[in-house]
Amino acid sequence: MVTGNHTTTPGFILLGYSSLTNLQGLLFMVFLVIYMVILLGNGVIVLVTVLDSALHTPMYFFLRNLSFVEICYISVTLPKMVANCLAEDGSISFTGCAAQMYFLLLLGGRESFLLAVMAYDRYVAICNPLHYTLIVNREVCARMVAGSWLVNIPVHFGQIYLVFSLPFCGSREINHFFCDIPPLLELSCVDTYRNKMAVFMAVLLFIITPFILIVISYIKIASTILNVPSAEGRHKAFSTCSSHLTVVTLFYGSGMIVYLRPKSRNSEDTEKLLSLFYTIVTPMFNPFIYSLRNKEVKAALRKLVGKKMIPQNTPHIPHIML
């Protein structure tokens, strides 16, 4: 493929941690086990929230969508990472790289919006419980989920077009686990100012704005909880909020650092490490901190697999405080 006086490469090479030649077998096993854990944990959440009618509520509707997104999100990157641990070259085609990047951005933006919607759902449930069923009804839930798709699809398509219309020359090596915008821009032999501005605008829309909305929601939630007379009630509420905020911090914090931090020669390895948080760690933690400690989900699991397989002494978290 030729663009102007520059020849674009037919494909790229994902370096990952290929320099750690003696650890490729270990990395293969670790990534494979993590992938299976994520599929199993999030798959269980999707299954039980679909089959059990008691879980057909807005909160579990959002959790089901989040778990489904996590499964798709991790399937875009981890299988290739696992395969590259055994492959010698780590190659990926031009089209495959574009497709991987598009779905990574699409699903990442979708997850960002879902986390903000879940914070809003908890805000209404805790701060305005008498009108909860009127404000967060089935139609509103469907519109919020559909809207998150409709906003993401065209914006990220434009991002991909801007990146892959650039001429790439010289090295084909991407110092990353997967095809992402920042390391790919480093391979271009023309000015990428327009692309960097597009990335900044996308981060503003899909990361910073939802994060600000989450912070506002939790400020209002905190002010409401502080008025609860029971110390035990306040403790349980704040404990549950901290779990959600942990995931928010991992996902948004690492994403903002990767896409907004000034670049330096020594930043690539740091970016690879941080990318593991929003691509692997968050999907892995999702089933445990959102649902598997919840009384209603545990009851639904017992119906499917039997009481002996579910621990009986797991502490209960009140439904409305999740």
Side-chain angles (χ1 to χ4, degrees):
M1 183 182 300
V2 178
T3 303
N5 296 324
H6 304 283
T7 303
T8 59
T9 59
F12 303 97
I13 298 174
L14 296 170
L15 295 181
Y17 281 127
S18 58
S19 59
L20 304 176
T21 54
N22 296 330
L23 298 179
Q24 293 306 302
L26 176 61
L27 291 175
F28 169 80
M29 292 302 301
V30 170
F31 287 147
L32 181 61
V33 170
I34 289 175
Y35 186 48
M36 299 305 296
V37 168
I38 292 172
L39 290 182
L40 179 62
N42 287 283
V44 167
I45 300 304
V46 172
L47 183 65
V48 298
T49 54
V50 168
L51 297 180
D52 198 304
S53 59
L55 303 183
H56 292 177
T57 62
M59 183 180 74
Y60 293 110
F61 173 76
F62 294 132
L63 284 172
R64 179 165 63 249
N65 276 272
L66 180 64
S67 293
F68 175 74
V69 169
E70 298 283 32
I71 291 173
C72 297
Y73 188 63
I74 202 68
S75 297
V76 173
T77 57
L78 251 185
K80 185 64 176 175
M81 291 166 62
V82 171
N84 286 346
C85 289
L86 299 180
E88 294 182 0
D89 58 356
S91 62
I92 184 170
S93 67
F94 188 89
T95 303
C97 186
Q100 186 186 64
M101 184 184 295
Y102 177 73
F103 286 107
L104 181 72
L105 295 174
L106 174 66
L107 294 166
R110 176 83 155 79
E111 179 170 350
S112 181
F113 278 16
L114 272 176
L115 290 173
V117 167
M118 292 169 68
Y120 173 73
D121 173 69
R122 291 302 86 202
Y123 157 72
V124 177
I126 295 173
C127 300
N128 198 2
L130 297 180
H131 298 90
Y132 177 77
T133 56
L134 295 176
I135 298 174
V136 189
N137 54 48
R138 181 174 298 181
E139 182 179 356
V140 171
C141 293
R143 286 181 178 179
M144 286 192 288
V145 170
S148 65
W149 282 115
L150 294 176
V151 172
N152 274 273
I153 290 174
V155 173
H156 295 309
F157 181 81
Q159 286 269 72
I160 296 302
Y161 174 79
L162 287 176
V163 172
F164 285 89
S165 61
L166 292 171
F168 299 102
C169 16
S171 175
R172 299 168 53 225
E173 296 180 345
I174 301 176
N175 190 15
H176 214 297
F177 297 106
F178 50 84
C179 290
D180 201 8
I181 294 179
L184 203 57
L185 293 182
E186 298 297 322
L187 303 183
S188 177
C189 46
V190 298
D191 181 51
T192 57
Y193 175 78
R194 183 175 63 169
N195 299 84
K196 292 176 181 177
M197 288 303 299
V199 170
F200 175 78
M201 295 303 296
V203 170
L204 183 65
L205 176 61
F206 295 107
I207 297 182
I208 296 179
T209 299
F211 180 74
I212 291 174
L213 294 176
I214 290 174
V215 171
I216 293 174
S217 297
Y218 271 104
I219 289 174
K220 293 182 178 294
I221 289 172
S223 64
T224 299
I225 293 174
L226 288 174
N227 293 323
V228 175
S230 169
E232 182 180 358
R234 290 195 300 270
H235 174 74
K236 289 182 178 179
F238 277 122
S239 176
T240 305
C241 291
S242 65
S243 298
H244 179 256
L245 288 174
T246 299
V247 175
V248 169
T249 302
L250 287 173
F251 183 81
Y252 289 100
S254 57
M256 284 189 283
I257 293 174
V258 168
Y259 289 102
L260 293 179
R261 191 181 67 162
K263 304 301 176 184
S264 66
R265 292 184 178 180
N266 300 322
S267 66
E268 292 179 340
D269 290 337
T270 303
E271 289 178 2
K272 285 195 293 184
L273 179 62
L274 289 171
S275 68
L276 293 179
F277 283 91
Y278 65 84
T279 57
I280 294 180
V281 176
T282 301
M284 186 169 59
F285 282 172
N286 172 53
F288 301 100
I289 67 175
Y290 279 124
S291 300
L292 294 183
R293 294 176 61 209
N294 177 268
K295 180 180 178 181
E296 288 80 10
V297 175
K298 283 168 46 183
L301 284 172
R302 290 190 187 102
K303 293 179 183 179
L304 294 176
V305 300
K307 295 183 178 181
K308 292 184 179 181
M309 297 183 64
I310 308 297
Q312 302 293 319
N313 57 351
T314 305
H316 167 63
I317 299 178
H319 173 88
I320 195 170
M321 291 301 181
L322 275 177

